[in-house]
Amino acid sequence: MSTTRTPKVSERVAPKPADPQPSKKRGGHDDDGPDFRTLFNAWLESHRASMADSLRRLGKQPIGSFFTCLVMAVALSMPMGLSLLLKNVEQLGGSWQRAAQISLYLKLDAGSREGEALRDEIKGMPGVADAQYVSREQALEEFQQQSGLGEALRELPDNPLPGVVVVTPTEVDKPALEALRQRLSELPQVEVAQLDLVWVERLAAILKLGDRFVFGLAVMLISALLLVIGNTIRLHIENRRVEIEVIKLVGGTDSYVRRPFLYMGALYGLGAGLLAWGILAFGLDWLNDAVVGLSGLYGSDFALGGVPASDGLSLLIGAVLLGYIGAWIAVARHLNELAPR
């Protein structure tokens, strides 16, 4: 008699082995795509390759690249040079202040003590840089020397000239000068307060005209500079037309095609900015010799300043941006024509 083995209860209810679970992918991320670090490194490598390619192509044509940068540098240096000259003219503020002095003619009965006290009082006023007192005797002596009537003036029984307080303002501004003159005319012992503003208005008008001229010239030359860089980039595009069409045929994006030309435009701008900075520094130094000689004849120590570092850096950054913008415009115009047929 055969016996049949009955399974135990624990064996009957024992679970079946579970299906093997898929192992988690090593690396801590799912299969959605490359991580940010990989994308960023690829982006940097693409830009590095584009810049290296642009430098290599410019280096193959050193003479043509240099003259393109030189033309751009001349266009940049002209308005910048005129602007620097206007700034140097504005630095003659000390001379303008001396020419815009307010003359306070005192009453005839005001003695030297009253004049000196009035001078000290005026020096502490706001808007006053300096004040000098000229006594009646000094005024008569100066008038005798300048007029050539010394013998005739000595025959006069009394000194007809009053004492004068010469006030130098802190700024040359017509409303401020007129307000200061009005305030000084109300002081005691002051008979007349005189201020000549005609030359100040003329100088301000000349400087305003110069600013507008520089602005108009800058707009014209910047437009010409954009045309130069645009035409240069267009020639580079035509030389690489077949290569670009192949790149777009295999899936190259517009940004990938555009990137080397943008770097090329920025490099043209960088070279032009450096050349323009050098041209301005040399030109101002060369012109300064004649300016120093002329100012010395008038007893002045005025000299032209060089190119400030801030202005030079602004020129450099502006040149790079103009090269970049010109290249962008040129590529944008021709990008649609480079679609594969």
Side-chain angles (χ1 to χ4, degrees), residues 4-337:
T4 303
R5 181 177 178 273
T6 303
K8 295 180 180 180
V9 176
S10 60
E11 293 177 354
R12 291 199 301 267
V13 299
K16 295 180 179 181
D19 295 335
Q21 298 292 331
S23 60
K24 293 184 179 180
K25 191 175 182 179
R26 296 180 180 178
H29 57 81
D30 53 12
D31 209 8
D32 291 340
D35 58 358
F36 173 77
R37 182 176 181 181
T38 303
L39 293 175
F40 182 70
N41 289 336
W43 180 81
L44 286 179
E45 178 62 24
S46 176
H47 279 267
R48 186 200 65 78
S50 297
M51 178 177 286
D53 180 69
S54 300
L55 284 171
R56 180 176 57 82
R57 293 181 183 274
L58 291 178
K60 286 184 176 181
Q61 299 175 346
I63 298 177
S65 301
F66 172 77
F67 279 105
T68 300
C69 292
L70 184 61
V71 171
M72 295 173 61
V74 172
L76 287 170
S77 60
M78 290 181 65
M80 189 69 178
L82 290 176
S83 178
L84 289 174
L85 287 177
L86 287 178
K87 286 183 179 180
N88 278 277
V89 172
E90 291 177 357
Q91 289 177 2
L92 290 172
S95 299
W96 299 355
Q97 291 173 357
R98 287 191 295 270
Q101 289 172 341
I102 302 174
S103 299
L104 304 179
Y105 297 98
L106 307 183
K107 298 178 180 180
L108 291 177
D109 57 354
S112 299
R113 183 174 299 178
E114 290 83 356
E116 293 175 355
L118 184 62
R119 176 200 60 192
D120 296 336
E121 178 184 355
I122 293 174
K123 280 186 176 181
M125 290 184 175
V128 176
D130 191 19
Q132 296 180 353
Y133 172 66
V134 180
S135 65
R136 299 180 61 187
E137 293 75 14
Q138 292 175 345
L140 180 60
E141 182 178 354
E142 292 178 2
F143 184 71
Q144 289 175 346
Q145 294 176 356
Q146 296 177 4
S147 64
L149 301 176
E151 296 297 332
L153 292 175
R154 290 189 183 93
E155 300 297 330
L156 295 176
D158 296 320
N159 184 359
L161 300 180
V164 181
V165 177
V166 181
V167 180
T168 303
T170 56
E171 59 179 348
V172 182
D173 180 71
K174 183 178 179 180
L177 288 174
E178 185 59 33
L180 179 61
R181 188 201 66 81
Q182 183 64 30
R183 188 165 67 250
L184 294 175
S185 65
E186 299 173 356
L187 294 175
Q189 304 298 334
V190 176
E191 185 71 26
V192 177
Q194 184 176 357
L195 171 64
D196 184 11
L197 288 177
V198 175
W199 81 269
V200 177
E201 296 174 351
R202 291 174 180 173
L203 182 58
I206 292 173
L207 292 177
K208 185 176 180 180
L209 177 63
D211 289 335
R212 292 194 175 185
F213 177 76
V214 170
F215 177 77
L217 182 63
V219 170
M220 293 177 60
L221 291 178
I222 287 174
S223 301
L225 189 147
L226 290 176
L227 292 176
V228 170
I229 190 65
N231 186 64
T232 303
I233 296 299
R234 183 184 65 82
L235 294 177
H236 284 285
I237 293 173
E238 291 296 331
N239 292 333
R240 301 175 60 184
R241 174 178 287 272
V242 177
E243 176 186 348
I244 295 171
E245 289 180 351
V246 172
I247 291 175
K248 297 195 71 175
L249 186 62
V250 297
T253 60
D254 290 346
S255 60
Y256 180 81
V257 174
R258 184 188 299 116
R259 190 175 299 129
F261 298 105
L262 297 182
Y263 274 110
M264 191 172 294
L267 290 173
Y268 273 125
L270 178 63
L274 292 174
L275 283 175
W277 196 341
I279 290 172
L280 288 175
F282 174 79
L284 289 177
D285 184 68
W286 174 74
L287 187 61
N288 192 41
D289 294 336
V291 172
V292 170
L294 179 62
S295 61
L297 296 177
Y298 288 92
S300 174
D301 57 352
F302 174 74
L304 292 176
V307 182
S310 58
D311 291 342
L313 291 176
S314 300
L315 175 65
L316 201 60
I317 295 173
V320 172
L321 289 177
L322 286 175
Y324 183 90
I325 293 171
W328 182 282
I329 295 173
V331 177
R333 287 185 56 191
H334 298 280
L335 201 58
N336 294 330
E337 303 175 2

